[in-house]
């Protein structure tokens, strides 16, 4: 039950027969397609009575195929609906507004998130500042805290399953793998998305006589997400999936240079405590929210001194002006550096990262270390040949 890339199914783009979904059409006007899932299409729709916009996920449940847990798509969708209702009423969790069920389709009417997936947003901006990361991570952890308090484990947290509303607030979505779990219950089924799987989940699915996993897997995924937000690539990605999974199990990742050079210690410390191999030592959502990364700067309180305060304000203003100027002053770059080490220059690095993702459509690493600059070293043919030979040998 590992999430795969969406597979397009063109017949889903046709609107289901009006007789099948009479009630839905009586209440909503379906509009353009917003996106597609494996067996669903999501359309913007307008509620006729109020004129309010929503996102309708239209799921074709006519096939009898069962998932690895023995549930048909209809049963799995009904289970997802019950979990959505259980965790409802939180500002950072997607709101399910309406449900319609026919023999062939289920319509889920969600609140509309006009700014799409966090994943696409990140792909466009490449990486987020510490300040933006703080806002998103605080919202994410608050939502996870709420879900866990309801005894639900999400099991597929990733930027693709985090939507952004009009004000760029997050909404956790896709509770397809979510499960209600008793306080000390342990699970052992494999589900989620490879790069975000926690080590104990991998162990539970690989070995017998191991304990299984619990809610802590969601906090591991939060660590992976936070790392990815700050630098634009995930901590454990490797083009050979087995190596990636081994790195996860050994907790092998780096705050590599140059991407992490300008990032302060607090976010790194929080990530380390989320990407903690031992789930018992990993921070819970509530503990993570108390981490210093989320605390505001504390000003020392003492007797008021007007002169000192004025001097301090002047210093801060001057520093702010300098920082602002610095931000808009391009880094000095020589032709030599631009030719032989373009990745060293922040402006070029951002452009390279953006292009790399668009061209390769996945994060790129070479060997054990992240090296998107390698894409520009002008040796692609050798690499292609080697990886072709490797995959050919593997198949043989
Ligand atoms: N509430 C929403 N508001 C705006 N856009 C949405 C909303 N829900 C989904 N979408 C868009 O529709 C796309 C498909 O959503 P869906 O939930 O079907 O994707 P999925 O998780 O890949 O599907 P599946 O559940 O089959 O794995 C999303 O990638 C997103 O761009």
């Amino acid at each position: 039950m590992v999430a795969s890339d969406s597979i397009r199914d063109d017949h889903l783009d046709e609107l289901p027969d009006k007789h099948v979904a009479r009630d839905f059409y009586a209440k909503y006007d379906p509009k353009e397609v917003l996106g597609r899932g494996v067996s669903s299409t999501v359309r913007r729709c307008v509620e006729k009575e109020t004129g309010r916009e929503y996102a309708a996920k239209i799921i074709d449940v006519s096939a009898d195929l069962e998932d690895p847990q023995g549930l048909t798509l209809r049963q799995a969708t009904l289970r997802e609906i019950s979990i959505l209702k259980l965790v409802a009423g939180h500002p950072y969790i997607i709101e399910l507004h309406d449900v319609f069920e026919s023999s062939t389709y289920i319509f889920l009417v969600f609140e509309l998130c006009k700014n799409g997936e966090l994943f696409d947003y990140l792909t466009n901006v490449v990486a987020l500042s510490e300040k933006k990361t703080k806002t998103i991570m605080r919202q994410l952890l608050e939502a996870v805290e709420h879900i866990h308090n309801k005894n639900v484990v999400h099991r597929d947290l990733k930027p693709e399953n985090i939507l952004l509303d009009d004000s760029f607030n997050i909404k956790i979505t896709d509770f397809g793998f979510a499960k209600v779990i008793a306080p000390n219950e342990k699970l052992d089924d494999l589900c989620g998305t490879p790069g975000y799987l926690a080590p104990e989940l991998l162990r539970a699915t690989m070995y017998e006589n191991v304990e299984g996993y619990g809610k802590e897997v969601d906090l591991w995924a939060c660590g992976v997400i936070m790392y990815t937000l700050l630098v634009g690539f995930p901590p454990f990605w490797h083009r050979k999936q087995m190596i990636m999974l081994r790195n996860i199990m050994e907790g092998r990742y780096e705050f590599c240079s140059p991407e992490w050079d300008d990032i302060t210690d607090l976010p790194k410390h929080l990530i380390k405590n989320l990407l903690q191999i031992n789930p018992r030592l990993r921070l819970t959502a509530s503990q993570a929210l108390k981490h210093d990364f989320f605390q505001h700067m504390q000003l020392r309180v003492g007797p008021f001194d007007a002169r000192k305060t004025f001097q301090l304000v002047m210093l801060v203003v001057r520093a702010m002006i300098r920082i602002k100027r610095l931000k808009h002053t391009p880094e000095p770059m020589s032709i030599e550096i631009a030719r032989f080490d373009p990745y060293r220059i922040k402006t070029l690095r951002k452009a390279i990262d953006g292009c790399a993702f668009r061209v390769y459509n996945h994060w790129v690493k070479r060997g054990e270390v992240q090296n998107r600059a390698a894409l520009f070293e002008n040796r692609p043919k050798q690499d292609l040949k080697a990886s072709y030979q490797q995959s050919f040998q593997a198949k043989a």
Side-chain angles (χ1 to χ4, degrees), residues 6 34-40 42 55 57 94 110-113 117 161 163 174:
S6 348
L34 296 171
R36 295 179 187 86
V38 179
S39 25
S40 62
V42 179
K57 181 167 175 172
I94 196 83
F110 289 105
E111 67 181 298
L112 179 66
C113 294
E117 294 175 10
N161 287 339
L163 298 175
D174 201 345

Side-chain angles (χ1 to χ4, degrees), residues 237 352-366 372 374-381 383-384:
W237 198 90
I352 289 171
D353 286 351
C355 293
F357 194 88
R358 276 180 205 104
V359 170
Y360 290 83
N361 208 20
H362 61 72
W363 310 107
V364 180
K365 270 192 167 190
R366 169 171 299 179
R372 269 176 280 174
L375 292 171
F376 295 81
E377 283 170 5
N378 229 359
R379 289 188 279 120
K381 275 187 195 151
D383 263 349
L384 275 179

Side-chain angles (χ1 to χ4, degrees), residues 211-282:
E211 197 189 14
Y213 63 90
K215 293 177 201 166
E216 301 87 0
V217 294
D218 285 343
L219 275 310
W220 176 275
C222 286
V224 177
I225 293 170
M226 182 167 169
Y227 183 111
T228 311
L229 293 183
L230 283 164
V231 285
F233 55 86
F236 301 104
W237 198 90
H238 195 288
R239 66 195 156 87
K240 288 183 188 158
Q241 207 172 84
M242 278 315 289
I243 297 181
M244 181 182 76
L245 298 180
R246 197 187 65 203
N247 287 344
I248 294 175
M249 290 176 79
E250 290 170 4
R252 194 128 59 90
Y253 68 95
E254 281 174 19
F255 294 120
C256 44
S257 189
E259 293 89 347
W260 283 94
D261 292 353
D262 301 332
I263 298 171
T264 60
D265 287 341
L266 279 177
K268 290 179 189 164
H269 185 264
L270 176 54
I271 290 170
K272 271 187 207 154
N273 284 281
L274 290 170
L275 295 182
Q276 167 62 251
I277 302 183
N278 184 344
R280 289 200 180 87
L281 301 179
R282 198 174 301 150

Side-chain angles (χ1 to χ4, degrees), residues 6 45 49 58 80 100 138 154 167 181 211 221 227-228 240 256 275 319 330 332 341 389:
S6 348
C45 65
E49 201 182 322
I58 305 166
E80 186 176 349
F100 298 86
R138 184 187 279 131
H154 185 284
S167 320
I181 180 175
E211 197 189 14
Y227 183 111
T228 311
K240 288 183 188 158
C256 44
L275 295 182
D341 193 6
Q389 274 170 349

